[in-house]
C-alpha cells in the first residue's frame, strides 16, 4: 500500500484543560458551556492591562509524577507528561510492551517552559550563576515535552517538535501522520502549552491581541461585533495515533476516528496585495481527505476575536462552504486560546462530537450578522457528526486546517 493509502486513526485522548482535567471531564464541561476563564491566580496581575486567563485548577504534579521529575520540569511539561499517561491509558496501550524504535513523539510548542525559565533567571540576577539549575539548559526548550515524554515511556522512534504558534498543534499531528504512513507503529502527538507567569504574560501582551476586559463573560468574543482580543490559557491535548488496520488488529478499545486530511499555508507579507492563505489551507485539507464541502458536518473555527482576523476567517469559511451552510463553533471560548495546545484540544472535541452526536457551543457570543456564519452559541446542538474541519492560525501568518472523519 502506498503511503497516501495508509489510514491513520486516533485511539487515545489525553486532555488537560482549564475547564476539565481528563477528556471526559473536559467534554462534560464543554457540552454544558462551563468556562474555565477567570482572574489570574498564579501571580498578581494588577499591574497588567490584561488580567484574565484560562488557568488549570486542581492539578498537583506530585499526585501524578515521580518526585525526581519535578525539579527537572516546567509546569507545561508536567501537564504534558500527565496528558500522555492519560492518552496511553485511554488507548489501552502499554509503551513498555512495544518495540521502543517503533514509537515516536511529535509535539508542538509556542513558548517553551517560560515559568521555569523565569524562576532560574531570577535566581541568576539575585544570587548568581551558581544558583541556576542545570535543568534550565533544557526545561525551557521548545522540544522538551517531546523529549520528556519519549524518555519516560521509552519511545525512541521518529520524534520532533513543530513551532508555528497556534497552528503548530495541527502541524504536529500532520507530521505524526506522515511518520505512521512511513511505517512507525505509534506516535504520540498534539501539544500542551503553559506560560501564565509574568515573563510569559509580557511576551503574550507584546502581540497586542490580548483582551483587557476584566469581565470573564465578555472578554473573549470571536465573531462578535464587540470582539477586542483573546484571553490566553494553558493546557491542550495529546493524541495516540496508529495505523487503522493495526489498531483494529490489536483490538483497540475505541477508535475515535481518523486524521483524514491536512493543509497548511503562509499568509503573504502585509501590503503585498495578495489574498490571505486561510481559504487555500481549508481547500487543501478537503482535497487531501478526498472530501467535498458538503461532507463536513461542523467547523471548529480558529476564532481570533480580532475584528479583521474574524472577517478573514468568516470569508474563508463562507467562500468554501457558502453562507450559513455549515455549523461553526469555537469551544475555546470556554478555555481561552491555548496557543499550540488549542487546536489539538479542538481535535479532541471534534472526535468526541462524532462519538456522541453533538456539536459543542461557543459561549458569550452575540454573532455579528455581517459574518453570515451558522454559529452554535449558548447550548450544544444535537446533530449527526461524521466529519469535522478544525482550523488554526498562528501569529506571523501560519494557517493550518485538518479534516477528521469517523470510521466504520
Amino acid at each position: 500500500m502506498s503511503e497516501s493509502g495508509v489510514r491513520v486513526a486516533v485511539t487515545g485522548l489525553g486532555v488537560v484543560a482549564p475547564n476539565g482535567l481528563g477528556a471526559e471531564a473536559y467534554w462534560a464541561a464543554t457540552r454544558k458551556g462551563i468556562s474555565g476563564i477567570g482572574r489570574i491566580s498564579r501571580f498578581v496581575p494588577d499591574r497588567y492591562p490584561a488580567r484574565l486567563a484560562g488557568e488549570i485548577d486542581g492539578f498537583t504534579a506530585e499526585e501524578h509524577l515521580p518526585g525526581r521529575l519535578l525539579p527537572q520540569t516546567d509546569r507545561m511539561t508536567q501537564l504534558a507528561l500527565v496528558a500522555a499517561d492519560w492518552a496511553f491509558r485511554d488507548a489501552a496501550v502499554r509503551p513498555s510492551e512495544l518495540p521502543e524504535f517503533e514509537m515516536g513523539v511529535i509535539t508542538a510548542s509556542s513558548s517553551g517552559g517560560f515559568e521555569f525559565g523565569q524562576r532560574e533567571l531570577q535566581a541568576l540576577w539575585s544570587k548568581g550563576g551558581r544558583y541556576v539549575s542545570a535543568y534550565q539548559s533544557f526545561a525551557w526548550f521548545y522540544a522538551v515535552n517531546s523529549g520528556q515524554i519519549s524518555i519516560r515511556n521509552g519511545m525512541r522512534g521518529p520524534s520532533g517538535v513543530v513551532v508555528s504558534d497556534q497552528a503548530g498543534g495541527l502541524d504536529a499531528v500532520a507530521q505524526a501522520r506522515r511518520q505512521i504512513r512511513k511505517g512507525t507503529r505509534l506516535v504520540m502527538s498534539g501539544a500542551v502549552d503553559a506560560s501564565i507567569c509574568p515573563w510569559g504574560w509580557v511576551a503574550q501582551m507584546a502581540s497586542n491581541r490580548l483582551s483587557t476586559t476584566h469581565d470573564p463573560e465578555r472578554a473573549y468574543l470571536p465573531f462578535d461585533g464587540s470582539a477586542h482580543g483573546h484571553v490566553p490559557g494553558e493546557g491542550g491535548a495529546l493524541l495516540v495515533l496508529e495505523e487503522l488496520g493495526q489498531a483494529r488488529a490489536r483490538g483497540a478499545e475505541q477508535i475515535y476516528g481518523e486524521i483524514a486530511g491536512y493543509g497548511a499555508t503562509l499568509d503573504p507579507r502585509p501590503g503585498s496585495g495578495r489574498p490571505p492563505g486561510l481559504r487555500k489551507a481549508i481547500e487543501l485539507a478537503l482535497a487531501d481527505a478526498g472530501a467535498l464541502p458538503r461532507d463536513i458536518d461542523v467547523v471548529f473555527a480558529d476564532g481570533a476575536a480580532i475584528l479583521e482576523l474574524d472577517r478573514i476567517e468568516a470569508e474563508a469559511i463562507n467562500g468554501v462552504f457558502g453562507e450559513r451552510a455549515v455549523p461553526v463553533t469555537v469551544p475555546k471560548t470556554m478555555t481561552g486560546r491555548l496557543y499550540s495546545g488549542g487546536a489539538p484540544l479542538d481535535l479532541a472535541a471534534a472526535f468526541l462530537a462524532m462519538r456522541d452526536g453533538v456539536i459543542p457551543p461557543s459561549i458569550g457570543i452575540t454573532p455579528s450578522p455581517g459574518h453570515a456564519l451558522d454559529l452554535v452559541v449558548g447550548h450544544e446542538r444535537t446533530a449527526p457528526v461524521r466529519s469535522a474541519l478544525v482550523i488554526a492560525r498562528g501569529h506571523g501568518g501560519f494557517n493550518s486546517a485538518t479534516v477528521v472523519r469517523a470510521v466504520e
Side-chain angles (χ1 to χ4, degrees):
M1 182 183 294
S2 67
E3 288 184 12
S4 61
V6 175
R7 298 173 69 184
V8 178
V10 172
T11 57
L13 301 175
V15 170
V16 283
N19 62 342
L21 285 170
E24 296 303 334
Y26 159 74
W27 184 234
T30 298
R31 290 183 60 175
K32 295 176 183 176
I34 297 174
S35 175
I37 293 174
R39 179 180 168 85
I40 293 171
S41 65
R42 295 187 62 76
F43 63 92
V44 178
D46 294 353
R47 294 180 296 170
Y48 303 92
R51 302 174 188 174
L52 300 177
E55 291 183 312
I56 293 175
D57 294 326
F59 176 81
T60 304
E62 292 84 349
E63 296 177 358
H64 303 282
L65 299 171
R68 64 177 176 79
L69 280 175
L70 302 182
Q72 301 180 26
T73 49
D74 181 76
R75 176 176 173 85
M76 167 194 75
T77 302
Q78 294 167 3
L79 289 166
L81 287 168
V82 173
D85 287 349
W86 290 346
F88 277 130
R89 189 182 309 159
D90 189 41
V93 168
R94 291 184 176 87
S96 61
E97 298 176 356
L98 299 178
E100 58 187 4
F101 288 100
E102 295 184 14
M103 300 180 292
V105 186
I106 300 174
T107 67
S109 180
S110 180
S111 62
F114 256 69
E115 188 171 354
F116 194 106
Q118 175 181 316
R119 184 172 65 247
E120 299 310 314
L121 286 174
Q122 287 175 319
L124 174 66
W125 297 333
S126 62
K127 299 177 182 179
R130 289 183 300 171
Y131 295 90
V132 176
S133 169
Y135 297 124
Q136 166 66 0
S137 62
F138 60 80
W140 70 272
F141 192 48
Y142 296 99
V144 67
N145 287 356
S146 289
Q148 290 285 15
I149 292 169
S150 65
I151 293 168
R152 176 169 167 79
N153 295 286
M155 306 169 75
R156 302 180 68 183
S159 298
V161 64
V162 178
V163 182
S164 47
D165 194 48
Q166 305 200 48
L170 296 186
D171 297 336
V173 171
Q175 178 64 14
R177 183 177 70 149
R178 293 187 190 105
Q179 294 301 332
I180 295 288
R181 286 177 161 181
K182 290 179 179 179
T184 302
R185 181 168 181 167
L186 177 150
V187 180
M188 178 73 71
S189 190
V192 173
D193 254 326
S195 55
I196 302 178
C197 62
W199 187 25
W201 203 246
V202 171
Q204 294 176 71
M205 288 182 59
S207 70
N208 293 317
R209 292 184 178 182
L210 267 61
S211 170
T212 56
T213 298
H214 299 165
D215 179 359
E217 295 183 1
R218 298 294 299 164
Y220 179 30
L221 304 172
F223 304 114
D224 187 308
S226 299
H228 49 266
H230 71 266
V231 173
E234 60 182 355
L238 292 173
L239 293 70
V240 175
L241 276 65
E242 304 177 69
E243 190 274 320
L244 177 59
Q246 182 174 279
R248 285 172 168 159
R250 74 168 179 87
E253 292 186 5
Q254 76 273 307
I255 296 174
Y256 287 103
E258 66 176 315
I259 306 296
Y262 165 74
T265 60
L266 188 65
D267 285 336
R269 63 174 178 82
S272 68
R274 295 163 57 199
L278 181 59
R279 176 173 176 173
K280 183 63 175 179
I282 296 170
E283 291 171 342
L284 288 170
L286 291 171
D288 187 37
L292 298 173
R294 66 171 180 266
D295 298 326
I296 301 299
D297 297 309
V298 60
V299 173
F300 286 77
D302 176 71
I306 300 291
L307 291 175
E308 176 64 8
L309 294 177
D310 285 352
R311 180 191 65 79
I312 290 170
E313 185 171 21
E315 287 184 355
I317 294 170
N318 291 333
V320 173
F321 296 97
E323 293 188 357
R324 297 183 176 85
V326 61
V328 177
T329 188
V330 193
K332 59 175 70 73
T333 49
M334 290 169 257
T335 64
R337 291 176 69 83
L338 309 185
Y339 296 95
S340 68
L345 187 61
D346 278 348
L347 287 176
F351 285 121
L352 294 167
M354 290 191 291
R355 183 192 71 182
D356 293 346
V358 295
I359 299 172
S362 315
I363 67 168
I365 299 173
T366 300
S368 173
H371 291 317
L373 295 175
D374 177 18
L375 278 168
V376 179
V377 295
H379 304 281
E380 68 179 26
R381 182 184 298 179
T382 301
V385 180
R386 300 291 297 170
S387 189
L389 173 73
V390 176
I391 299 172
R393 293 177 291 177
H395 194 67
F398 298 100
N399 305 295
S400 294
T402 297
V403 173
V404 298
R405 187 159 50 208
V407 297
E408 300 79 11

